[in-house]
Amino acid sequence: MTEAAEVDAEGESARTIAARVLALPDVAALSPGHFHTIATPVAGGRVEGVAVRETAVEVGIVALWGTPLPQIADQVRETVGGLVPGSAVHVRVTDIVGAAPGAPGGR
């Protein structure tokens, strides 16, 4: 596979992963991390918050307050693992924000 084809394939995977993770109820946003290292290059830019690598995927998230962080990380791992079988999935929680509207403690 050529380098451009690899970038396109990784970019498509990163976009799919990003959409699925953002759909999780306890994830407020994706995060590139404090040093902006959690990202995947794509044509015309980067998918911030998802780093697709050879043998692993790293996902940076901003979690919603309420659910225990290990449980949220497990949800992310389960979601991403189904999209990239055989790859390790590492989750980095970079921040926590207030609860979702209607949730206990929410607005």
Side-chain angles (χ1 to χ4, degrees):
M1 188 180 290
T2 67
E3 189 173 325
E6 282 182 38
V7 167
D8 288 344
E10 288 175 354
E12 189 58 37
S13 290
R15 286 185 183 103
T16 301
I17 291 166
R20 296 277 178 89
V21 170
L22 284 170
L24 293 172
D26 295 310
V27 174
L30 293 173
S31 171
H34 299 292
F35 298 104
H36 296 271
T37 57
I38 307 171
T40 300
V42 296
R46 299 162 30 119
V47 175
E48 301 259 335
V50 178
V52 177
R53 300 191 173 104
E54 256 184 69
T55 59
V57 174
E58 185 175 7
V59 181
I61 65 166
V62 175
L64 288 172
W65 174 261
T67 302
L69 295 179
Q71 200 172 326
I72 297 171
D74 286 345
Q75 292 170 5
V76 172
R77 279 189 208 93
E78 184 178 315
T79 298
V80 175
L83 299 171
V84 288
S87 290
V89 179
H90 305 288
V91 180
R92 186 180 305 177
V93 179
T94 62
D95 203 357
I96 301 169
V97 296
R107 296 175 199 96

